[in-house]
Amino acid sequence: MSEPLLCELSVPGRVGFRFPEVDVPQAPLPEGMLRQELPLPELYEVDVVRHYTRLSQLNHGIDIGFYPLGSCTMKYNPKVNEEVARLPGFAHVHPLQPEETVQGSLALMYQLQEWLKEIGGFAGVTLQPAAGAQGELTGVLIIRAYHEANGQSQRNKILIPDSAHGTNPATSAMSGMRVVEIKSDGRGNVDLEALRAECDESLAGLMLTNPNTLGLFDENVEEVVRLVHAAGGLVYGDGANLNALLGIVRPGDLGIDVLHYNLHKTFSTPHGGGGPGSGPVGVAEKLVDFLPGPLVDIIEPGDDEEPPLYGFVYPKKSIGRVKAFHGHFGMMARAYTYMRMHGKEGMRMISEYAVLNANYLRARLRDVYHVPYDRICMHEFVAEGRWPDIPDIQALDIAKRLMDFGFHPPTNYFPLIVHDALMIEPTETESLQNLDAFADAMIKIAEEARSNPELLKTAPHNTPVGRVDEVKAAKELVLCCGFRSTDLSSK
Amino acid sequence: MYFSHTPAEREAMLRTIGVKSLEDLFQAVPAAHRFPDLRLPPALTEMEALSEMQEYALANESIQELSSFLGAGAYHHYIPAAVDSLLRRGEFYTAYTPYQPEISQGTLQSIFDYQSLVVALTGMEVSNASHYDGATAIAEAVTMAHANFRGKRARVVLSPAVHPHYRQVLHTYNHGTPIEVVGEDLDLTAGPEALIPLIDPQTALVIVQYPDFFGRIYDLTHLAQAAHAAGALLAVSVNPTALGLLKTPGEFGADIVTGEGQPLGIPLSFGGPYLGLFATRKEYVRKMAGRLVGETVDNRGQRAYVLTLTAREQHIRREKATSNICTNQGLMALAATIYMSLLGKHGLRQVAELCYHKAHYAAQKITALPGYALWSNAPFFHEFVVRCPLPVDEINEHLLEYDILGGYDLGQDYPQLENHMLIAVTEMNSKEEIDRLADALAVLSYEEEASYE
Ligand SMILES: Cc1ncc(COP(=O)(O)O)c(C=O)c1O
């Protein structure tokens, strides 16, 4: 490949984009405050368009092919969502405009809050958090504030199952909480004995991912919730896996007190090469007053002629803001469109087909790849990427070889409780033919692992670059490239 | 809906799994709560959904229909057509975090370009791949500074002229930590040097905004020196457009530069998604939060890019990570990268100058009106505060009748600034628009006077 870097493409003196000339009398520039150099690239539009187009061609994306990246719900991102987010009435609205000039945005946010409440079984929802991890932070801060308001500020311990995502412990630590890990039992559920032993008066809460990161619905979830509540703690739900539960069960009905949704997973907003996401948080009645502000509410009810008047309100004991302005509105507009196009029936079909597809792949692969907790799974499952008879081959080799077949590899080496984990989440938007092609490739790779292990060890072969040297990257730390700096006056 | 299964395919799949029906897949879910009857409306087709969304969008007044002088942390700028055209490539926007470098070089190299551009713009040495926004970037700077001193310094000196939302987020993040924040009650008219007496040996970080929330620009050299003399770090939250013209925080001696990257080619979108900038000096790179891309080679000897120093991050370090951030603002960083690539050195300078000159013209026109005066004599960039003869919301209501979106009412955040308006002017405001704003304000003063008589 070797697409040049911007700094290599730059040609001193080349001018790309021009703005209109100044149409007002010029003011003197502030003396002593001007930069002498502005070492940015000098390109024209053709350079730039080709550079980024060529770079894009080095990527795999959902639009190109199957992307079974477990825990990330890489479902198809509908094109109409992109049109909606770019409607001038949405894209060109300032966040601080008077409320009466943004009734469309506020109505949409209000309705989205309502639908998320309904789907999750919660009494209140904030749309402010930027992503799942920020939703977690919001939730843990709400839990802390709740205990403080009840005169229980000694509650500073958060329990986290050993199967949890890294953001759960990282979030708890950021909120000044003490993290205690709880192991999983032989069926992949939270170990009730281990949980019981930690249920004491320092317990602030438990962060539960259900279905968990093995893709399994915790069979004891009601008992887990009961134990935590009985000890005075609250249950946080990591909603990364909500794609398994739409119209199947409402987390709030199971007693979960706080949960974050991921609009960028469950509700089809694109992952953008790493973001932006959107991580709304739903809470039970007793936590509504602690939500970050502002929330959207109806200020004056509507009638037959007039729609309601929407506006921002601040919850009484709010933990405060977690973000400037009102959250990722552009993601909300996309998620709203998606929800509107699925409705009540479609919502349940999303999860039914997500679970069907995952179980189908599990059934097709379980004889070839060891599935350590082999029962009906939810929207994803975890297989081992290793075989006892060929110890040299690891999950990484299988993942890399999959790329040669045109597939994005599954999440690997997570969850940590499975050796050489391959976490496979097909999502509901894949056809039977795509699933079969993937299963065939996986089975072929298992054969190759024995007949020609070198093929795996040296994979991938058909990608723009081969295996990269991560150690060199970390050791030599080349993190940017300098632009030739010519004097500004030479313009 | 985006499903493909025919009834026959569905049956075949169920047979392979060994269950009879879709319901059978959900036996682990407590029966009492299984299959709730959700109160959601019926599904719409794409055609119907789009028209419903258009109705919502039309219920807003967009700034394409208004002349906007509203800024306060989110700015109306021209976005070259090529930016969105490239962002809409599915290869970019339907990918995720580039954990698999062999099929993510497009994302990785774009992030490397982004890091290079941010470093060049801010005068720092390293940039991460983004934070959520300008607010959380500051909150993460506090966490980084606190960790840098191994928790031994817990004081943060925070300028009251930092965006009110950013300060609120900082407080939310620090609730429950030992961090103590001072400085927000200082006199607003004072410059950043008023912070110096608050810097003590317990201080981990000093935070200012540049240009500050009121649009003012100050030389930060003395502040940086004072922070360093006490062993503390200096963080500067920037408006990146201003750095097309002004000295960089790096030149003043800043240790961390954060900022809101929205002005770099990202639409206003009612507040998000935007882009949190974060750059620092090399010595702090291991303390920094967020993704980082480094250059390396592949096994074929080709140059390649990869996520690096991941041992700082939550997926490796769990509760010992520098932050919990996982998903960041990837596509927004790409927008900023493309914007900066297109504008380049000359374009960014030109847009900064346009903003500067137009804002100064507007300030001169408005302060020539009776009852209006500049609140500060400090130099400013593209935003300024005017003391008004009337409550700001009344003025704005009047301006809206002229299809003008007035400035930000500072009394909302600063009681001492009642009747003070923060006005932003960018390249999007023509001279004619600025003149119309001044004329509309003049009419109001005239009406006001008339009503007294
Ligand atoms: C189970 C789980 N929890 C939390 C997160 C964090 O979410 P985000 O990346 O949106 O911050 C992820 C992310 O991939 C996840 O898989």
Side-chain angles (χ1 to χ4, degrees):
Chain A
M1 62 143 218
S2 258
E3 168 65 18
L5 289 165
L6 274 185
C7 53
E8 295 160 347
L9 288 169
S10 181
V11 176
R14 181 170 287 172
V15 178
F17 193 82
R18 280 173 220 273
F19 287 94
E21 293 302 317
V22 189
D23 60 352
V24 295
Q26 301 200 14
L29 295 175
E31 248 171 75
M33 291 299 290
L34 302 179
R35 70 188 293 167
Q36 297 309 308
E37 287 185 340
L38 185 56
L40 291 180
E42 294 164 274
L43 303 164
Y44 78 129
E45 184 166 325
V46 181
D47 290 333
V48 175
V49 168
R50 289 194 181 141
H51 176 64
Y52 291 104
T53 301
R54 287 191 303 246
L55 282 181
S56 78
Q57 291 170 337
L58 306 177
N59 268 1
H60 183 86
I62 301 168
D63 279 2
I64 297 170
F66 193 39
Y67 208 132
L69 190 66
S71 210
C72 299
T73 313
M74 303 299 287
K75 64 174 70 182
Y76 175 67
N77 307 137
K79 298 296 169 193
V80 66
N81 293 355
E82 299 306 308
E83 295 303 319
V84 167
R86 288 165 173 86
L87 290 171
F90 288 150
H92 304 297
V93 171
H94 192 287
L96 301 172
Q97 282 184 219
E99 288 171 6
E100 61 274 17
T101 67
V102 291
Q103 286 296 305
S105 290
L106 293 175
L108 184 151
M109 289 171 72
Y110 179 82
Q111 192 58 65
L112 186 59
Q113 288 173 189
E114 291 300 302
W115 287 344
L116 291 173
K117 281 180 349 196
E118 177 65 14
I119 288 168
F122 292 108
V125 162
T126 169
L127 302 172
Q128 211 174 87
Q134 210 194 19
E136 291 174 32
L137 181 67
T138 304
V140 174
L141 291 172
I142 288 173
I143 290 174
R144 173 191 272 284
Y146 171 79
H147 290 312
E148 280 172 2
N150 290 338
Q152 306 249 305
S153 39
Q154 88 287 356
R155 292 190 177 272
N156 66 355
K157 176 171 70 178
I158 296 274
L159 305 180
I160 298 182
D162 54 5
S163 56
H165 192 261
T167 49
N168 291 190
T171 296
S172 300
M174 254 174 106
S175 334
M177 294 287 193
R178 197 156 52 85
V179 176
V180 175
E181 195 173 275
I182 299 290
K183 63 181 166 69
S184 308
D185 71 12
R187 286 183 60 76
N189 300 315
V190 171
D191 188 299
L192 292 177
E193 274 323 300
L195 175 61
R196 256 187 221 108
E198 290 293 346
C199 283
D200 54 29
E201 63 290 347
S202 73
L203 180 65
L206 164 78
M207 292 185 88
L208 186 71
T209 310
N210 189 32
N212 63 19
T213 60
L214 297 163
L216 300 175
F217 193 92
D218 196 301
E219 295 162 309
N220 308 322
V221 62
E222 289 178 299
E223 181 60 7
V224 168
V225 170
R226 199 191 62 75
L227 284 171
V228 173
H229 285 168
L234 297 179
V235 181
Y236 182 89
D238 180 332
N241 295 342
L242 201 67
N243 209 44
L245 303 184
L246 304 174
I248 306 297
V249 60
R250 310 193 315 161
D253 292 348
L254 296 172
I256 308 285
D257 302 289
V258 201
L259 173 123
H260 78 257
Y261 307 78
N262 295 74
L263 301 188
H264 51 303
K265 297 179 180 176
T266 316
F267 300 106
S268 84
T269 76
H271 287 78
S278 177
V281 168
V283 294
E285 190 67 53
K286 60 178 177 285
L287 300 177
V288 167
D289 286 344
F290 299 96
L291 284 169
L295 306 172
V296 180
D297 208 347
I298 292 179
I299 306 295
E300 277 170 36
D303 55 33
D304 291 348
E305 264 126 67
E306 288 291 316
L309 180 71
Y310 298 93
F312 287 116
V313 296
Y314 281 81
K316 281 201 287 288
K317 304 176 203 162
S318 176
I319 59 161
R321 270 182 181 283
V322 295
K323 222 182 155 301
F325 310 120
H326 328 300
H328 290 168
F329 178 81
M331 301 295 121
M332 298 171 206
R334 290 172 172 91
Y336 181 105
T337 309
Y338 176 80
M339 290 166 91
R340 196 70 183 92
M341 285 184 62
H342 283 80
K344 176 185 156 85
E345 297 308 319
M347 211 54 75
R348 176 165 158 183
M349 285 166 78
I350 292 170
S351 290
E352 285 178 337
Y353 286 161
V355 172
L356 177 72
N357 283 359
N359 277 290
Y360 178 74
L361 275 186
R362 185 182 56 86
R364 281 217 54 199
L365 294 176
R366 56 190 292 222
D367 294 335
V368 184
Y369 290 82
H370 178 55
V371 177
Y373 303 87
D374 192 17
R375 53 180 164 101
I376 296 283
C377 65
M378 300 300 278
H379 65 306
E380 64 193 354
F381 69 102
V382 179
E384 278 185 5
R386 61 166 187 172
W387 296 276
D389 56 321
I390 30 174
D392 261 9
I393 298 292
Q394 299 159 4
L396 187 75
D397 304 314
I398 298 163
K400 299 299 182 197
R401 182 65 182 141
L402 267 170
M403 298 175 189
D404 287 335
F405 290 85
F407 298 112
H408 194 286
T411 295
N412 44 63
Y413 300 96
F414 174 70
L416 307 176
I417 59 171
V418 173
H419 251 284
D420 286 84
L422 291 171
M423 185 191 214
I424 303 171
E425 180 181 12
T427 84
E428 73 283 2
T429 59
E430 293 305 321
S431 69
L432 177 58
Q433 291 70 32
N434 295 339
L435 300 177
D436 277 333
F438 175 76
D440 293 345
M442 286 289 283
I443 293 166
K444 178 102 194 300
I445 291 170
E447 286 162 20
E448 289 174 351
R450 290 170 179 92
S451 62
N452 187 359
E454 233 1 67
L455 205 53
L456 273 68
K457 279 280 159 207
T458 52
H461 307 278
N462 310 332
T463 49
V465 300
R467 282 200 203 189
V468 308
D469 187 344
E470 294 185 19
V471 176
K472 178 181 160 77
K475 221 168 159 182
E476 296 178 10
L477 278 193
V478 179
L479 302 174
C480 64
C481 137
F483 299 97
R484 266 162 292 197
S485 58
T486 45
D487 197 332
L488 269 183
S489 55
S490 75
K491 104 179 162 162
Chain B
M1 296 187 225
Y2 307 90
F3 314 127
S4 62
H5 301 330
T6 65
E9 287 176 331
R10 206 170 63 195
E11 289 314 308
M13 291 171 77
L14 289 168
R15 259 199 313 281
T16 305
I17 297 166
V19 296
K20 291 213 172 56
S21 68
L22 288 171
E23 278 82 5
D24 290 348
L25 297 170
F26 299 99
Q27 296 304 313
V29 176
H33 302 299
R34 212 183 289 159
F35 306 130
D37 188 23
L38 296 181
R39 284 167 303 159
L40 293 176
L44 295 185
T45 60
E46 177 177 312
M47 217 168 106
E48 294 162 313
L50 185 58
S51 101
E52 180 171 314
M53 300 312 283
Q54 273 159 344
E55 269 174 48
Y56 275 117
L58 287 172
N60 284 339
E61 287 183 52
S62 93
I63 53 171
Q64 288 189 333
E65 306 151 52
L66 304 168
S67 300
S68 172
F69 294 91
L70 186 54
Y75 301 94
H76 186 204
H77 287 290
Y78 185 76
I79 303 175
V83 175
D84 196 49
S85 156
L86 290 165
L87 281 192
R88 292 183 80 149
R89 292 192 66 89
E91 300 93 327
F92 279 133
Y93 83 81
T94 72
Y96 204 7
T97 308
Y99 286 123
Q100 301 292 340
E102 298 85 353
I103 47 173
S104 312
Q105 285 298 306
T107 298
L108 287 161
Q109 193 173 327
S110 304
I111 296 174
F112 190 84
D113 280 343
Y114 168 82
Q115 291 172 182
S116 305
L117 289 161
V118 172
V119 162
L121 190 64
T122 58
M124 301 307 283
E125 292 168 347
V126 288
S127 157
N128 73 7
S130 70
H131 278 285
Y132 302 136
D133 69 5
T136 69
I138 286 194
E140 299 265 13
V142 172
T143 311
M144 179 178 121
H146 188 58
N148 181 58
F149 298 106
R150 298 197 175 74
K152 294 205 179 84
R153 288 171 173 242
R155 177 179 266 224
V156 169
V157 178
L158 176 60
S159 156
V162 168
H163 195 297
H165 288 186
Y166 300 6
R167 290 185 285 115
Q168 289 164 29
V169 170
L170 186 155
H171 287 293
T172 307
Y173 269 55
N174 288 317
H175 183 83
T177 71
I179 288 161
E180 170 214 14
V181 180
V182 297
E184 288 172 281
D185 52 1
L186 285 178
D187 178 9
L188 297 177
T189 57
E193 284 170 26
L195 297 168
I196 291 175
L198 298 177
I199 303 172
D200 70 5
Q202 291 311 307
T203 304
L205 188 66
V206 180
I207 307 174
V208 292
Q209 185 170 319
Y210 172 78
D212 71 12
F213 183 60
F214 308 110
R216 299 175 297 182
I217 45 185
Y218 290 104
D219 189 312
L220 301 171
T221 312
H222 288 139
L223 184 65
Q225 283 164 354
H228 294 157
L233 307 184
L234 173 67
V236 181
S237 172
V238 298
N239 177 331
T241 308
L243 297 186
L245 182 65
L246 303 179
K247 268 191 181 162
T248 65
E251 285 173 79
F252 297 131
D255 304 285
I256 301 172
V257 177
T258 64
E260 177 48 72
Q262 177 273 331
L264 301 174
I266 298 171
L268 286 165
S269 284
F270 199 47
Y274 291 172
L275 169 67
L277 306 172
F278 196 106
T280 184
R281 299 195 181 278
K282 268 192 193 131
E283 56 190 299
Y284 304 118
V285 66
R286 285 180 171 76
K287 305 265 168 40
M288 185 163 68
R291 313 261 186 229
L292 204 53
V293 170
E295 189 173 292
T296 184
V297 294
D298 72 353
N299 61 0
R300 306 168 202 162
Q302 309 179 90
R303 181 165 73 182
Y305 297 87
V306 68
L307 291 173
T308 194
L309 296 188
T310 53
R312 300 164 296 117
E313 295 187 63
Q314 46 75 28
H315 62 286
I316 310 281
R317 285 296 287 285
R318 301 179 76 83
E319 68 268 22
K320 297 202 176 60
T322 50
S323 164
N324 68 343
I325 191 168
C326 181
T327 295
N328 58 18
Q329 301 296 109
L331 201 68
M332 303 295 103
L334 180 63
T337 307
I338 299 169
Y339 178 88
M340 285 189 276
S341 306
L342 281 166
L343 264 62
K345 162 188 173 132
H346 307 287
L348 204 72
R349 168 81 187 218
Q350 200 192 350
V351 74
E353 283 189 14
L354 282 168
C355 290
Y356 182 88
H357 292 306
K358 286 170 185 261
H360 284 75
Y361 175 70
Q364 184 213 324
K365 290 285 286 193
I366 294 166
T367 52
L369 299 170
Y372 292 86
L374 269 185
W375 167 72
S376 165
N377 295 323
F380 61 92
F381 174 57
H382 74 344
E383 218 165 4
F384 56 91
V385 177
V386 282
R387 195 176 62 234
C388 306
L390 291 168
V392 175
D393 55 352
E394 274 178 43
I395 296 176
N396 280 340
E397 216 170 292
H398 166 84
L399 289 177
L400 217 42
E401 286 168 23
Y402 290 77
D403 292 332
I404 294 171
L405 193 55
Y408 184 70
D409 182 356
L410 288 167
Q412 299 173 70
D413 303 286
Y414 303 93
Q416 65 273 48
L417 293 182
E418 209 187 340
N419 297 353
H420 285 66
M421 186 192 271
L422 178 64
I423 295 176
V425 188
T426 71
E427 80 280 9
M428 303 303 278
N429 302 109
S430 63
K431 173 171 182 294
E432 191 220 322
E433 260 185 30
I434 298 168
D435 291 342
R436 276 206 310 119
L437 169 68
D439 291 346
L441 290 173
V443 169
L444 188 61
S445 303
Y446 177 75
E447 282 173 3
E448 190 64 15
E449 232 165 78
S451 72
Y452 277 125
E453 278 159 16

